[in-house]
Amino acid sequence: MDDKLLDLQHVSMAFGGLKVIDDLDLHVNRGEIVSVIGPNGAGKTTLFNLVTGVYQPTGGDIVFDGSSITGLEPHQITRRGIARTFQTLRLFLNMSVRENVMAAAYGHTKAGVFRSMLRTPGMHREEREIRELAEKRLAFFGERLMGYRWDQPAYSLSYANRRRLEIARATATNPTLLLLDEPAAGMNPKETQEITELIELLRTDGGYTILVIEHDMHVVEGISDRVVALDHGFKIAEGSFEEVATSSQVIEAYLGTGGMARK
């Protein structure tokens, strides 16, 4: 695969005098699953915030599907086809499972305030389409998010199913690129294996290209076409899981000696 869907070109991000991402080159080919690893403070979440427009880079360019998205607002980037989940779950806990997914799809509707107030036929049609889309996205996750669960409040779900619901909500924006921030965080071994299988299904059956931040090396090994390791905003290794996991720089970074070695 050499068709770059996402391409970060010499991207840097600094907060005052603190450089969090430093001259980063990183790409994700169409149809790939790429995992980003690194110790706490490596710049992984900042990377996601840059791609989704939460932060604007202080240097370099971010290209998605052949066009620069640098400087775009988060909602504009979502419309281009990028969706994300968060390390800390951000669901509407008092809304139903179905309503959580529907909420993500409303950003793509054409009915404005007046059509909604007047309850026009066009608005009703869009409402039906959004409901059908939400149910289709939830059906992808099988019995875990099916049937009677659609009308349950999100707070009634188990932790693992809340994780699934957040991914389902992300897919409701019709993305081509999914950014998953620690999808296996807080899960037991059985749940971790299930989420590993789910990520592969999102690629094979869902057709999504996926960029993942993950600390669980079993998940990283099980899903990744390619692994990128960061440390203090630098890319210190890139390649297959085996190549990155045995890199001396990666081992030093996880042991806390990476910064000293660079000095």
Side-chain angles (χ1 to χ4, degrees), residues 30-251:
R30 201 177 300 272
E32 259 193 321
I33 299 177
V34 175
S35 294
V36 179
I37 67 170
N40 292 332
K44 303 184 297 297
T45 298
T46 299
L47 166 64
F48 271 27
N49 287 337
L50 287 167
V51 173
T52 55
V54 176
Y55 300 149
Q56 299 301 327
T58 51
D61 194 17
I62 302 174
V63 176
F64 176 69
D65 203 12
S67 299
S68 175
I69 57 173
T70 303
L72 296 183
E73 295 294 325
H75 70 276
Q76 295 173 313
I77 291 173
T78 299
R79 284 181 175 271
R80 294 286 185 97
I82 298 176
R84 72 176 292 183
T85 64
F86 294 85
Q87 180 180 353
T88 303
L89 288 168
R90 299 189 182 182
L91 298 173
F92 301 111
L93 293 178
N94 290 316
M95 291 171 59
S96 73
V97 168
R98 184 195 286 113
E99 288 169 342
N100 263 274
V101 181
M102 290 175 67
Y106 279 115
H108 293 269
T109 59
K110 297 181 177 61
V113 174
F114 292 108
R115 289 174 63 187
S116 298
M117 290 173 61
L118 295 172
R119 309 292 291 178
T120 64
M123 187 281 298
H124 282 291
R125 183 178 63 256
E126 283 194 335
E127 189 79 18
R128 286 194 302 272
E129 291 172 353
I130 288 172
R131 187 182 183 90
E132 291 169 0
L133 173 65
E135 292 174 356
K136 180 179 179 181
R137 294 293 182 263
L138 288 166
F140 183 88
F141 295 81
E143 63 182 15
R144 299 292 186 147
L145 294 179
M146 282 289 286
Y148 71 93
R149 295 188 189 275
W150 287 353
D151 296 313
Q152 287 186 321
Y155 68 74
S156 68
L157 296 177
S158 68
Y159 177 80
N161 282 338
R162 290 185 190 185
R163 284 280 178 192
R164 292 182 176 92
L165 177 56
E166 190 175 37
I167 297 172
R169 188 176 63 180
T171 65
T173 65
N174 293 321
T176 51
L177 176 65
L178 276 176
L179 308 184
L180 305 180
D181 193 346
E182 296 194 33
M187 293 189 179
N188 62 40
K190 182 176 184 296
E191 293 167 340
T192 297
Q193 179 59 36
E194 290 176 350
I195 205 72
T196 302
E197 294 169 357
L198 172 61
I199 293 170
E200 181 59 36
L201 283 175
L202 285 166
R203 188 247 297 269
T204 57
D205 294 3
Y208 302 105
T209 299
I210 303 172
L211 181 63
V212 185
I213 293 172
E214 187 51 68
H215 281 293
D216 190 315
M217 291 299 108
H218 294 294
V219 176
V220 174
E221 183 178 17
I223 63 173
S224 305
D225 297 310
R226 198 155 38 86
V227 179
V228 175
L230 301 181
D231 184 29
H232 293 86
F234 292 90
K235 181 168 68 175
I236 57 173
E238 179 176 6
S240 68
F241 174 81
E242 291 76 13
E243 291 169 338
V244 173
T246 56
S247 163
S248 59
Q249 285 184 289
V250 172
I251 294 169

